[in-house]
Amino acid sequence: MGHQILVVDDDRDLRAELARGLGREGFVVETADRAEAALAALERSHFDAVVTDVRMGGMDGIALCRRILDSHPTLPVIVVTGFASIETAVATLRAGAADFLTKPYDLTQLRLSLDRSIRLRDLEKEVRRLRASLPVSIDEMLGESACMRDLSVLVGRVAPTDATILITGESGVGKELVARAIHQRSPRADRPFVAINCAALPEGLLESELFGHERGAFTDARARREGLFVAASSGTLFLDELGEMPLAMQAKLLRALEGRTVRPVGGTSEVPFDVRIVAATNRDLESAVAEGRFREDLFFRIAVVHVEVPPLRSRGADALVLARFFLDRFASRTKKSVVGFTARAAEKLLDYPWPGNVRELQNCVERAVALTLTDHILVEDLPPRVREHRSDSFSLGGDLDPTELVTLEEVERRYLLRVLEAVRWNKTEATRILGLDRSTLYRKIERYGLAPRVED
């Protein structure tokens, strides 16, 4: 059965025409001729979205939207009007409407708006479910994409061990979050987690920070100081940006890791330590080894377990899951009553490739919360690079040789199969992604003879 839609309009002919059109698109439609009848229908039945006209006898569509969201805060309401103005649009969005359409509009436009709004509602439900199921300390690792599920499984497997771990991934993907998650799930969780950026300090100071120094070891060494290897005793030491460490310092680090002791700068005796080492880099260390910029023996000593953190662009709808998490955080900090994203803003967040990964997304949402004048983030609140991005490329998974070019029918078959496999043959999710009604999807599956892969 399709999604349940409530259509509210006091014009009988328009109401009936809209109900027929949405019915042909696969929706199950109930109608109401006034706001009071719509509120009564919402009390006795479940609906996935409401479409309401603005100008009606009695309560208008904007007041109806407010009343609906007071009692059904997650229900998408789409407001349509033949008398568009900036004031009406602002009032509609302030009332919490998911979208605002002006007449005349075509049925495809309304269907896309409904699909976006319902999909956003479902994703927000998933955010709440995930937040309830995960420990607060690793909330920012939220995600339901296949690559994040695999990452979570790997973290769960390596965390209880003492194996040295190398975390790699692009800048901004959240490598330190993964390191903290490993620490928090380990037997060392109640001991210190100590982090240092190996690229932020010159070699001499980095050595002193890691290994400590004796009084008088250098000009400003007025007192003895223990290094981070000792400060993190029984806990985890996180070496961020390991790929930037100078070669001479790499040799000293390798010696410390092999002997499990450090010699403070200016000292003559070795000091034992008991820490778990987790390192991270956005560099390709294997290439650095081949080019002589990173010691091969240190690489193998550090990369006992390699954990690759995927870029945000490969995580699908996780971008919106994270965006909602950041929105809640920044709305709480600024004490602004921002409760969500409009459907169009959410679509922009999903479409943008996020070259700066999670860090860029976090900054984007913080900016939007600071700028918005409504209780929902609008497209206009997003940074220009996000709101102006246009996705104009499509790939079936690699550049095609001219001899491999295929018909449009074959392109459609491959794309349908790829979407179905990506959602694990969840046909409800596939219809939302493809913009098809359920019956059309079934016809295409039958036409192309598609079926789930049979595992050996």
Side-chain angles (χ1 to χ4, degrees):
M1 183 177 291
H3 288 111
Q4 310 277 330
I5 309 298
L6 177 61
V7 172
V8 190
D9 198 314
D10 60 359
D11 186 313
R12 183 178 62 185
D13 293 338
L14 289 177
R15 191 169 66 243
E17 181 182 351
L18 186 54
R20 286 193 298 270
L22 290 176
R24 289 193 298 270
E25 293 292 328
F27 295 101
V28 178
V29 183
E30 184 174 331
T31 64
D33 60 357
R34 63 187 189 282
E36 293 76 12
L39 293 171
L42 286 166
E43 290 303 314
R44 67 173 182 266
S45 303
H46 164 80
F47 292 95
D48 293 296
V50 176
V51 179
T52 180
D53 194 18
V54 171
R55 294 198 175 185
M56 299 183 291
M59 186 188 305
D60 67 19
I62 296 175
L64 173 61
C65 179
R66 292 195 189 95
R67 286 283 300 275
I68 291 173
L69 295 177
D70 282 344
S71 54
H72 302 81
T74 64
L75 181 62
V77 180
I78 297 172
V79 176
V80 298
T81 181
F83 303 92
S85 68
I86 294 176
E87 292 78 9
T88 303
V90 171
T92 300
L93 293 172
R94 283 180 175 169
D99 208 350
F100 174 73
L101 302 179
T102 58
K103 298 177 182 177
Y105 59 87
D106 58 40
L107 194 59
T108 299
Q109 186 180 3
L110 177 57
R111 178 180 60 77
L112 290 173
S113 179
L114 284 167
D115 287 342
R116 280 196 305 261
S117 301
I118 294 170
R119 184 181 179 208
L120 176 59
R121 186 272 315 270
D122 291 343
L123 285 169
E124 288 179 338
K125 285 183 179 178
E126 184 66 3
V127 170
R128 291 191 291 274
R129 185 190 71 79
L130 288 168
R131 292 184 65 192
S133 65
L134 287 176
V136 174
S137 56
I138 57 169
D139 253 344
E140 291 173 62
M141 281 184 64
L142 284 170
E144 271 291 276
S145 58
C147 55
M148 286 304 290
R149 288 196 297 269
D150 292 343
L151 176 61
S152 182
V153 169
L154 181 57
V155 167
R157 292 176 64 184
V158 302
T161 74
D162 259 348
T164 304
I165 295 173
L166 176 65
I167 303 172
T168 60
E170 297 176 6
S171 179
V173 294
K175 295 185 288 294
E176 183 169 344
L177 282 172
V178 175
R180 289 183 181 276
I182 291 170
H183 173 71
Q184 289 158 5
R185 297 183 188 184
S186 76
R188 299 174 180 264
D190 60 344
R191 304 302 298 166
F193 176 91
V194 178
I196 183 170
N197 187 327
C198 298
L201 300 172
E203 183 177 343
L205 188 53
L206 179 60
E207 181 180 5
S208 173
E209 284 293 306
L210 288 174
F211 303 151
H213 62 255
E214 299 292 345
R215 180 181 178 182
F218 46 85
T219 303
D220 293 325
R222 298 183 177 88
R224 183 180 185 278
R225 181 182 177 185
E226 66 180 18
L228 297 184
F229 272 92
V230 176
S233 179
S234 301
T236 300
L237 179 59
F238 176 55
L239 305 175
D240 198 10
E241 303 292 353
L242 181 68
E244 308 304 320
M245 183 177 284
L247 277 168
M249 189 63 211
Q250 291 176 31
K252 295 174 183 178
L253 175 61
L254 177 64
R255 183 177 182 277
L257 296 180
E258 295 287 0
R260 307 300 291 180
T261 61
V262 294
R263 179 180 295 178
V265 177
T268 57
S269 59
E270 301 288 332
V271 179
F273 64 83
D274 172 27
V275 296
R276 199 242 186 101
I277 301 296
V278 179
T281 182
N282 60 6
R283 303 290 187 185
D284 181 352
L285 288 190
E286 293 188 74
S287 296
V289 167
E291 295 165 5
R293 293 182 290 106
F294 198 86
R295 292 180 64 104
E296 184 178 42
D297 45 7
L298 179 60
F299 172 75
F300 288 119
R301 184 67 187 80
I302 289 287
V304 175
V305 178
H306 179 200
V307 176
E308 176 76 20
V309 184
L312 186 54
R313 63 181 173 274
S314 70
R315 293 174 53 184
D318 284 357
L320 198 55
V321 175
L322 284 162
R324 183 53 196 258
F325 170 76
F326 292 134
L327 182 143
D328 289 345
R329 170 193 286 178
F330 295 123
S332 176
R333 284 183 184 176
T334 57
K335 294 180 170 56
K336 295 183 72 171
S337 57
V338 186
V339 298
F341 300 88
T342 64
R344 289 173 179 169
E347 190 174 31
K348 287 291 184 182
L349 295 177
L350 289 170
D351 188 52
Y352 185 68
W354 301 109
N357 293 294
V358 178
R359 186 182 295 123
E360 183 184 8
L361 174 62
Q362 178 177 334
N363 292 341
C364 166
V365 176
E366 183 175 11
R367 174 190 189 276
V369 171
L371 294 180
T372 190
L373 299 176
T374 73
D375 60 0
H376 278 71
I377 301 298
L378 311 178
V379 171
E380 292 74 17
D381 299 321
L382 302 176
R385 63 183 178 278
V386 178
R387 66 173 181 260
E388 295 169 8
H389 173 73
R390 296 289 184 272
S391 181
D392 56 5
S393 63
F394 167 73
S395 171
L396 285 173
D399 296 330
L400 289 175
D401 184 272
T403 61
E404 297 175 323
L405 295 177
V406 295
T407 64
L408 283 174
E409 186 177 72
E410 176 63 12
V411 170
E412 182 181 55
R413 187 195 70 79
R414 294 184 189 181
Y415 184 59
L416 282 170
L417 181 59
R418 184 173 181 185
V419 169
L420 286 163
E421 289 180 341
V423 299
R424 300 188 177 188
W425 283 80
N426 182 324
K427 297 183 181 63
T428 300
E429 183 64 20
T431 58
R432 292 176 190 151
I433 294 171
L434 295 165
L436 302 174
D437 60 72
R438 205 171 179 86
S439 59
T440 302
L441 177 62
Y442 277 112
R443 285 199 303 271
K444 289 182 179 292
I445 290 174
E446 183 178 357
R447 174 185 176 187
Y448 293 124
L450 304 180
R453 296 177 190 269
V454 177
E455 301 294 336
D456 294 333

